[in-house]
Amino acid sequence: MSDDYRPMWQQLGLDLEAHDALLEVLGQGYQEVFLSQKNRPEGMAYFDFVMSEVHGLRIKELLEEKSAGRKIVGSYCVFVPEEIVLAANATLVGLCSGADFATEEVERLLPRNTCALIKSSFGFKIGKVCPYLESADMIVGENTCDGKKKAYESLAGLVDNLYVMDLPQVKSENGRALLKDEYLRFKTAIEKLTGATITADTLKAAIRTVNAKRAAIHRLSLLRKADPAPISGLDALLANQVFFYDNPARFTDAVNKICDELETRIAAKTGAMAAGTPRILVSGCPQAVPNWKLPMIVEDAGAVIVGEESCVGERGTRNLTDESVTTVEEMIDAIVDRYFKVDCAIFTPNPDRLGHIQQMVAETQADGVIHYGLQFCQPYLMESIPVEKSLEDKQIPCLRIETDYSMEDVGQLKTRVDAFVEQLK
Ligand code: BJ8
């Protein structure tokens, strides 16, 4: 990344030395994991460029938006409604939390047995290495799992602009009413932050923008059902990760372009891997940038990942908001209906997720499922057992994995994944 960005990073208060070290590791990792792949679609050049500028050009754009009076909102969860943010003339960015950082300092604030994702969000703040976090005018936390909801109490002492959204845990009428109340409260907070009033026109335009983005990435997801798979799991995951940072309209365009290319590849039977390669669906915790450990191991083992049942994947993107309604009140209801379908493991009971995993297995023609659970993540680790059971009942092989962001268990994971892939052949 160009040295021209250093004054910008300094102005944001980043620790330049630590940030240099992070970029160095990221750049090297990207080269080894992504650029070394064979038979990549040409359209991945766009995502390579975005990643090469992820702390540069994109941050410059966000700061330019801020100078023009737009606000930046950072979020850790797919329950934060981008439609409301956009409608109030603000920009939503995902705060990644996909790598360990400043672990010793983090463990002075959080118990050691906290999941890597939560620890990472603290590490990026304490280590002063995330320009997105430092650019945000508001950071939104959400009461999802116990770990997150308690961690935000501590995060509030580290940032001065934390807004915490309550979320239901049960898909009942009361649960839906709570979600609606919270979205209305959030709307008021965003309007206060931006000074803008959300109107039917701005909300409708925002719903269309976000729907278009989700429809494009869902289109990509459906194209992965072809054999040979036209895109690797690593590249498809990358597109799903960039979903959270990029300018929405530009991202939609780039994804649709790559989908056009994938359609041509499918017609020509050109794959990222050979036809007949064992096909795997990954299900479970979100894999945020730069957490590429599992897909790297799986695809190195000679399989191809054909879908992610995850919030960085189909769980977060498959449902669209009804565009046919006209008033702000009706649109808020449509937004609530759309988000209420997200089948995160924090919900109890959560039977929709089991059904969705089986649906994805069928749609993607997966030969087996790897359940990806982060260590100490109670909701997903608990749910991995019924997930496995429901798959076994249908004779779908399932491998449950529990891991973190360190590389210490790579050898052990490789052994288990290799054996699983062999079983699928
Ligand atoms: S909607 S999955 S993005 S909460 S891994 S922090 S659950 S202990 S991330 Fe999530 Fe929203 Fe749900 Fe999706 Fe807790 Fe588990 Fe850690 Fe997790």
Side-chain angles (χ1 to χ4, degrees), residues 75-80 114-119 121 142-149 152 167 244 284-286 310-312 315-316 342-347 372-381 405:
S75 126
Y76 293 107
C77 177
V78 299
F79 268 103
V80 178
T114 303
C115 87
L117 200 142
I118 298 173
K119 279 191 189 167
S121 60
E142 13 57 54
N143 291 342
T144 43
C145 63
D146 284 353
K148 269 184 167 182
K149 77 175 82 128
Y152 291 130
L167 284 183
F244 292 92
C285 292
S310 160
C311 282
V312 183
R315 189 187 310 127
V342 174
D343 47 9
C344 171
I346 60 142
F347 283 95
Y372 170 78
L374 279 175
Q375 220 174 14
F376 311 121
C377 169
Q378 298 277 355
Y380 282 92
L381 293 178
Y405 292 167

Side-chain angles (χ1 to χ4, degrees), residues 29-30 32-37 40 44 47 224 231-241 272-273 287 290-300 303-306 308:
Y30 195 80
E32 285 166 14
V33 176
F34 285 91
L35 302 182
S36 62
Q37 295 176 98
R40 298 178 84 205
M44 284 312 295
F47 297 95
R224 294 164 75 189
I231 185 169
S232 68
L234 271 164
D235 279 341
L237 174 64
L238 187 72
N240 275 284
Q241 291 174 330
M273 280 85 168
Q287 298 171 93
N291 175 14
W292 304 308
K293 183 164 91 170
L294 180 67
M296 187 182 78
I297 292 171
V298 171
E299 299 200 330
D300 268 359
V304 59
I305 295 173
V306 289
E308 294 80 25

Side-chain angles (χ1 to χ4, degrees), residues 22 37 46 49 80 101 107 114 188 204 212 216 248 295 313 325 336 344:
L22 176 73
Q37 295 176 98
Y46 172 77
F49 176 71
V80 178
F101 213 85
E107 288 180 356
T114 303
T188 306
K204 180 140 232 166
V325 290
V336 173
C344 171

Side-chain angles (χ1 to χ4, degrees), residues 56 70 148 157-158 197 202 240 251 283 297 376:
R70 223 175 142 89
K148 269 184 167 182
L158 301 178
T197 302
T202 61
N240 275 284
F251 175 84
S283 165
I297 292 171
F376 311 121

Side-chain angles (χ1 to χ4, degrees), residues 71 88 138 163 184-198:
K71 300 290 182 192
M138 178 195 263
Y163 174 95
L184 288 172
R185 187 171 72 89
F186 181 59
K187 173 176 169 286
T188 306
I190 289 286
E191 286 176 329
K192 187 164 165 231
L193 177 77
T194 60
T197 302
I198 293 176

